[in-house]
Amino acid sequence: MNFSEINPAARMLMCPGPVESDPRVLRAMSAPILGQFDPQFLGYMAETQEMARKVFQTSNKQTYCVDTTSRGGLETVLTGAICPGDKVLIPAFGRFGYLLSEILERCGAEITLLEREWGTVFEPEEIEAELKKGGYKAVACIHGETSTSMMQPMEELGKICKKYDALLIVDTVATLGGVDIRVDEWGIDGCIAGTQKCISAPSGSALITYNDKIHEIVLARKKVEKGIRIDSDVDGDLPQIPSNYLDLAQLEDYWGPRHLNHHTESTSMQYAVHEALRCIMQEGLQERFDRHSLNDKALCAGLQAMGLEIFGDIKNKMPVVTAINIPEGIDGPTLRGQLLNDFGIEVATSFGPLDGKIIRIGNMGYCSQKRNILILLSALEAVLVHNKVKINVSDGVEAALEVYQNAK
């Protein structure tokens, strides 16, 4: 029997993830395998931690990778920091706020959901009003909600949480590496990201960081496996973390000086994360943020000049994801299908109440390039004209070019 050789078609991934990996990352993944406790490999791990601290803009000692997807990273931090019966507030303004609730309900937390119309974000006063009621262990929220393209302002939220002695745990899966995120300055206690979006590595690793407040909770839940524990290992007095694989206490010992065996590190994926972070360091954080911002301005100018309507509260739109209302005269599957089949460009639909109403365009990491923005606008115009949708022909690319010209 003959099976297919892995030979993927050429694609431009202008969706909200996954996006194309930087070619340097793909080259790093082909490097020879080292043992997980080889001194050279441990050196790479330590460098990964230090670079991750710089991207998170934190001094947290507990900053490392988990061999899982970004969803697994969320589950790792949430189920490690939150015990059964803990009361958690979740401001949900899209699909992934509900995911946080789903994860925490399964570990026995008591959830309160604040809900907003999709396409909007919360005012700090709304969250504070609920925290005033008291008893909350944590606030868990999304920073960049890719399902709606909205980005929740975070600067005030950390201060509010500190005022009411609540942890702040933030999902930055879609924003880390493309947006200025200041974990320490903003008072974020725990922060999670993936690698398949603005970091520009393949999916399969989660970047996490958390401070001493969460570290103390983790220590109080710690229980070293019987087969590897020593006499000085003492069990904590809080309920044990329910997952063995996603056990923060064991992961701390794995990544820390003890390097206590927990799992077999995904060597090639660790190479990928290391190289992706190195590329970010080489570019410079501010330069990277500026690049995403400029390409976002050009994209939005082009879409609006074409006569398309950007979805939601534009003031709080993510610079790395843009959603547009699907214009009359074409449906979502046709629009996305022709972009993919005729131009090799992938964009995304949305979920729930927005399914079939908007398409979402990514502007993330390696894919956030002037060339990609201009090609996408050209292809989108061609598809709409072909389907006899009324737009301002030629205005989109011209408007984007003007943004780039003025930036010089």
Side-chain angles (χ1 to χ4, degrees), residues 154-327:
M154 297 301 305
E155 291 86 340
E156 296 300 317
L157 198 47
K159 297 174 186 176
I160 293 171
C161 289
K162 185 176 182 180
K163 180 179 177 181
Y164 296 96
D165 196 26
L167 298 171
L168 176 59
I169 301 174
V170 183
D171 171 338
T172 61
V173 169
T175 49
L176 188 75
V179 175
D180 192 1
I181 294 169
R182 306 183 180 192
V183 167
D184 289 355
E185 184 178 323
W186 293 351
I188 297 174
D189 297 291
C191 195
I192 306 97
T195 52
Q196 78 278 17
K197 297 181 187 284
C198 295
I199 300 296
S200 281
S203 175
S205 187
L207 290 161
I208 66 173
T209 187
Y210 53 95
N211 62 16
D212 288 344
K213 290 181 182 179
I214 292 180
H215 172 61
E216 292 301 318
I217 296 170
V218 171
L219 288 180
R221 304 184 72 181
K222 184 173 182 176
K223 182 178 181 182
V224 178
E225 291 177 10
K226 186 174 182 180
I228 55 176
R229 66 188 294 147
I230 58 177
D231 291 343
S232 59
D233 287 321
V234 178
D235 294 345
D237 54 7
L238 288 178
Q240 184 179 6
I241 295 170
S243 171
N244 177 282
Y245 184 70
L246 303 179
D247 187 328
L248 275 182
Q250 295 193 62
L251 288 167
E252 284 186 9
D253 278 340
Y254 182 76
W255 278 85
R258 192 175 178 185
H259 291 301
L260 190 61
N261 189 33
H262 173 247
H263 64 286
T264 301
E265 183 66 16
S266 178
T267 309
S268 297
M269 191 63 208
Q270 183 54 226
Y271 294 162
V273 178
H274 181 285
E275 183 63 12
L277 294 174
R278 192 191 70 82
C279 291
I280 295 174
M281 294 295 98
Q282 187 176 52
E283 181 177 6
L285 283 178
Q286 191 57 55
E287 290 79 5
R288 195 173 181 91
F289 303 150
D290 291 344
R291 170 166 61 86
H292 283 82
S293 178
L294 175 60
N295 289 326
D296 175 59
K297 289 176 183 175
L299 173 62
C300 291
L303 293 169
Q304 290 174 317
M306 204 182 298
L308 299 174
E309 182 182 9
I310 296 176
F311 170 78
D313 175 11
I314 296 179
K315 180 181 67 175
N316 290 301
K317 190 192 80 64
M318 302 165 65
V320 295
V321 181
T322 300
I324 61 170
N325 293 315
I326 298 172

Side-chain angles (χ1 to χ4, degrees), residues 108-150:
E110 182 184 335
I111 304 302
T112 298
L113 270 175
L114 288 182
E115 298 177 90
R116 285 294 304 261
E117 180 184 358
W118 289 24
T120 66
V121 299
F122 287 89
E123 295 296 333
E125 296 78 14
E126 296 176 85
I127 296 170
E128 183 171 15
E130 183 60 38
L131 286 176
K132 281 181 179 178
K133 298 176 182 178
Y136 283 103
K137 174 71 171 291
V139 173
C141 69
I142 307 295
H143 182 225
E145 179 56 80
T146 55
S147 68
T148 68
S149 79
M150 296 295 105

Side-chain angles (χ1 to χ4, degrees), residues 298-299 301-302 373-374 377 395-405:
L299 173 62
I373 298 299
L374 296 176
L377 288 169
D395 288 359
V397 171
E398 180 63 31
L401 283 170
E402 186 174 348
V403 170
Y404 288 121
Q405 186 63 41

